[in-house]
Amino acid sequence: MIFDEYTIKSLIRPVPDFPKPGVVFRDITPLYQSPRAMRMVADSLIQRYVESPVTHIGAIDARGFLLGAVLAYELNKPLVLFRKAGKLPADTLSESYTSEYGECHIEVQRDALHGGEQVLLLDDLIATGGTFLAAARLIKQLGAEVYEAAAIIDLPDLGGSRRMQDADIPTFTLCAFEENE
Ligand SMILES: O=P(O)(O)OC[C@H]1O[C@H](OP(=O)(O)OP(=O)(O)O)[C@H](O)[C@@H]1O
Ligand SMILES: Nc1ncnc2[nH]cnc12
């Protein structure tokens, strides 16, 4: 299906002052409720990575799991979960980061990667970049590499995509919103 940025953006709802005053929350639930739009999103990502050397899909808790599962299924790759603190059993590695709403921790199981893997990291949105950067540090600690970090939405005013560029993490997003959009 041909990607139509206008359709995708029209299905992302700005919610002022959620979850706290001053934050414009970009709500993707209308997008997930549109099979046609979700097919556009999934098809664009599948096309982009189908011939790539990606060996693993890394999906970020929680909204990134939805995209991650689709991509892992379609590309027939193992799915590695990056979860909020305290959710993963067995031996884990943890990284802390600061998001738009506060201090957080993200974890991965130590035996999820063994070294040399090329990981496609997926999430719904880049804001400060804290989450993607923390997941990228975990991937590096396990001896693997981020092939690319991909999301549906970039919020460039929050500086995340610039921080990721500064950290040499290739980044791909399907659309962007300026602060006043
Ligand atoms: O670029 P950042 O500033 O790190 O922000 C982006 C992250 O914030 C949101 O997750 P959230 O922590 O709200 O969790 P959720 O997916 O469980 O709703 C979003 O899904 C990203 O994971
Ligand atoms: N503004 C925002 N909208 C939706 N999810 C977010 N995660 C971090 N910042 C966000």
Side-chain angles (χ1 to χ4, degrees):
M1 190 171 297
I2 294 172
F3 184 77
D4 170 15
E5 188 177 343
Y6 178 81
T7 300
I8 300 300
K9 287 184 75 168
S10 70
L11 290 166
I12 299 165
R13 170 171 54 187
V15 182
D17 299 321
F18 182 88
K20 62 183 200 188
V23 174
V24 179
F25 189 83
R26 304 292 171 170
D27 178 20
I28 54 162
T29 55
L31 178 60
Y32 278 123
Q33 286 170 31
S34 163
R36 184 167 167 271
M38 276 314 291
R39 194 168 288 280
M40 278 184 200
V41 167
D43 286 355
S44 309
L45 294 173
I46 292 161
Q47 249 176 46
R48 184 172 176 86
Y49 300 110
V50 69
E51 307 275 7
S52 76
V54 163
T55 62
H56 288 63
I57 306 298
I60 296 184
D61 192 352
R63 286 171 261 160
F65 286 174
L66 306 165
L67 278 183
V70 173
L71 267 283
Y73 176 78
E74 287 290 341
L75 301 178
N76 197 29
K77 302 293 179 198
L79 180 61
V80 176
L81 301 183
F82 291 82
R83 296 217 63 180
K84 303 282 163 59
K87 299 282 187 180
L88 280 175
D91 199 5
T92 56
L93 278 179
S94 179
E95 275 286 325
S96 58
Y97 63 95
T98 309
S99 80
E100 220 184 337
Y101 341 121
E103 187 71 15
C104 310
H105 297 266
I106 195 161
E107 297 180 346
V108 69
Q109 288 171 324
R110 272 184 202 271
D111 62 2
L113 299 166
H114 299 97
E117 296 89 349
Q118 291 281 322
V119 182
L120 168 61
L121 258 184
L122 289 170
D123 206 349
D124 64 325
L125 169 147
I126 309 176
T128 67
T131 311
F132 262 148
L133 286 165
R137 291 197 295 279
L138 291 173
I139 288 170
K140 196 169 173 196
Q141 284 170 49
L142 292 174
E145 232 180 273
V146 177
Y147 176 76
E148 194 155 78
I152 301 173
I153 307 164
D154 185 19
L155 303 179
D157 296 330
L158 295 174
S161 37
R162 190 176 25 80
R163 269 183 212 115
M164 290 173 65
Q165 200 179 344
D166 292 346
D168 285 329
I169 298 169
T171 304
F172 175 73
T173 50
L174 291 168
C175 68
F177 287 94
E178 305 300 325
E179 209 169 311
N180 51 5
E181 254 186 281

